[in-house]
Amino acid sequence: MWNIAKRELRLYFSQMTGYLIVIIYLLFTALLLWFFNNPYNLLNSELGSFSPFFELTPILFLFLIPAISMRTFSEEFAQGTFELIITKPLSSLQIFGGKLIGVLLVLIIIIIPTFFHAAFLDSLLQLDSELDWVIIISSYVALIFLAILFVITSLCSSLIFQSQVASFLVAVLGCFIHFYFWSFMADLSQNLNFYNLINSLSAQLHYNGLSRGVIALENILYFIGLSITFFLLGVQLIQKKKS
């Protein structure tokens, strides 16, 4: 599994496209947080809150994660290297898990520099208005949970489609459904019980809960349960490709 992850990480950064995606994401995030006049500008936020970053990032992840993940399996199919992978003494779980770890390592490399935004904002504040680092760490945990769900969904899309463009578009749609669709459907309901039921399916609800520092068991179980479900789906898709 670890060899698959290292291979994925090496392949991603062996192409200029990989570096370009990372640079564009970090540059775009910095411009929105500090320079462009928009709702996510940290200098416009009340009491120097860092919450705009955690409101902005899921929107960017809707496109960033599918862009990173679209080639994981689609490229293997196109180049005929998937047949070589399945001939190795690796289970379907190890193959999918290795790809997942590889993409998550790329994401971690991308996320780490964003800590500097929080550190710089904290340095601008007065001593009596420092950032609440407990909530910030909790929000990063929520971001990791969301990223794992988005990555697994995108990997499943890459397994289904040989075209990277199709894989990207379907992955964006899948992540959009996870994060926004159920909340939108719940808002259309006139019944409170139906609203709560549909809204509980929304990743946005559980992400926002964790981002506020509320470590509720239902929020954690939501991400773990849904991620395991799509992980097992991905394993089954690989098993089907093998047979």
Side-chain angles (χ1 to χ4, degrees), residues 23-35 40 42-43 48-54 56-57 60 110-125 131 133 136 140:
I23 292 171
I24 290 175
Y25 169 77
L26 292 176
L27 179 61
F28 194 60
T29 301
L31 290 174
L32 289 175
L33 290 179
W34 297 104
F35 298 99
Y40 307 107
L42 294 174
L43 298 179
S49 170
F50 196 56
S51 61
F53 169 77
F54 296 106
L56 170 66
T57 304
L60 299 181
I110 294 174
I111 290 174
I112 287 175
T114 63
F115 275 101
F116 291 106
H117 294 300
F120 183 68
L121 178 63
D122 194 43
S123 68
L124 296 178
L125 301 178
L131 294 179
W133 285 96
I136 290 177
Y140 269 107

Side-chain angles (χ1 to χ4, degrees), residues 11 20 37 78 125 129 156 196 203 218 237 241:
L11 286 174
L20 195 60
N37 187 18
L125 301 178
S129 59
C156 289
N196 291 331
E218 63 182 85
L237 287 172
K241 295 283 186 182

Side-chain angles (χ1 to χ4, degrees), residues 184-214:
F184 173 75
M185 293 299 294
D187 289 337
L188 299 177
S189 173
Q190 301 296 323
N191 184 282
L192 181 59
N193 293 329
F194 187 73
Y195 171 86
N196 291 331
L197 175 63
I198 298 299
N199 201 38
S200 66
L201 300 175
S202 171
Q204 185 180 27
L205 172 71
H206 301 282
Y207 170 80
N208 289 340
L210 290 172
S211 295
R212 290 192 294 267
V214 181

Side-chain angles (χ1 to χ4, degrees), residues 22-78:
V22 173
I23 292 171
I24 290 175
Y25 169 77
L26 292 176
L27 179 61
F28 194 60
T29 301
L31 290 174
L32 289 175
L33 290 179
W34 297 104
F35 298 99
F36 294 162
N37 187 18
N38 63 91
Y40 307 107
N41 191 300
L42 294 174
L43 298 179
N44 295 336
S45 60
E46 186 178 357
L47 297 177
S49 170
F50 196 56
S51 61
F53 169 77
F54 296 106
E55 297 171 6
L56 170 66
T57 304
I59 301 174
L60 299 181
F61 273 12
L62 281 175
F63 303 96
L64 174 68
I65 292 178
I68 294 174
S69 308
M70 65 182 181
R71 50 157 297 279
T72 47
F73 287 104
S74 297
E75 192 173 85
E76 302 281 7
F77 297 142

Side-chain angles (χ1 to χ4, degrees), residues 23 25 32 34 38 63 82 93-94 104 124 128 135 153 156 168 179 181 189 210 225 231 234 243:
I23 292 171
Y25 169 77
L32 289 175
W34 297 104
N38 63 91
F63 303 96
F82 183 75
L93 187 148
Q94 289 174 317
L104 287 177
L124 296 178
D128 58 346
I135 292 182
T153 302
C156 289
F168 171 78
F179 200 74
F181 177 75
S189 173
L210 290 172
F231 184 91
S243 57

Side-chain angles (χ1 to χ4, degrees), residues 137-147 206-207 210-211 223:
I137 296 301
S138 173
S139 298
Y140 269 107
V141 171
L143 201 60
I144 293 298
F145 274 126
L146 185 67
H206 301 282
Y207 170 80
L210 290 172
S211 295
F223 283 109

